[in-house]
Amino acid sequence: MISNKKILDCPVATTINLIGNKWKLLIIRDLISGTKRFGELRKSLSGISQRVLTENLRALETDNLITRKVYAEVPPRVEYSLNKTGQSLKPIIYSMADWGTKYKNGEL
C-alpha cells in the first residue's frame, strides 16, 4: 500500500494536483496564446459555468500559474495571463496536444 506522503512527494502527483482537471488544462491552453479577459475565456470554454471558471482561475492564481490584472476602469476590466511558472507548462500542453492528435489519427 502506498502512503499519502509518498503520493504527495511524487512529482507526477504534484503536477496533477495543480493542473489535473479538464478546465484548468483548457484555461492554460487558451492562455498560451496570450492574455485573455474573463468573457473571452468563458466563450472559448463551451460548457463551463461562470462559477466554475471563477473557481479555477482563482485556484490557478493561488497556485502561482497565472496572473490576474485588474484595471481601475468603469466597468472594471480584468485580464488573465500565464506568468513565468505557467509559461513553463507549455511543453507539457504541447506534448499532450501532439499525443492527442496522433491518438485521434490512429497513429499510435
Side-chain angles (χ1 to χ4, degrees):
M1 182 173 181
I2 299 174
S3 72
N4 281 341
K5 174 144 176 47
K6 284 192 179 192
I7 290 171
L8 294 176
D9 288 342
C10 171
V12 173
T14 299
T15 305
I16 288 172
N17 283 332
L18 291 172
I19 65 168
N21 79 42
K22 166 178 135 177
W23 296 120
K24 286 182 182 179
L25 281 169
L26 295 177
I27 291 167
I28 292 166
R29 176 208 62 192
D30 284 358
L31 292 177
I32 284 174
S33 63
T35 300
K36 302 273 188 297
R37 294 177 71 174
F38 186 90
E40 293 174 300
L41 289 168
R42 184 139 186 239
K43 279 184 190 174
S44 70
L45 301 167
S46 63
I48 193 169
S49 70
Q50 182 171 333
R51 180 182 64 81
V52 171
L53 178 56
T54 299
E55 287 172 0
N56 281 280
L57 287 167
R58 285 183 183 153
L60 289 167
E61 185 180 14
T62 298
D63 291 334
N64 193 35
L65 297 173
I66 67 170
T67 300
R68 177 179 183 262
K69 185 169 184 180
V70 181
Y71 294 88
E73 299 174 350
V74 177
R77 177 170 47 122
V78 180
E79 294 181 339
Y80 298 91
S81 57
L82 292 177
N83 59 23
K84 187 176 178 180
T85 305
Q87 292 282 344
S88 71
L89 292 167
K90 282 182 178 182
I92 295 168
I93 303 299
Y94 291 152
S95 292
M96 291 175 74
D98 184 50
W99 188 92
T101 300
K102 288 177 181 173
Y103 181 84
K104 284 173 60 177
N105 293 336
E107 297 173 16
L108 298 175

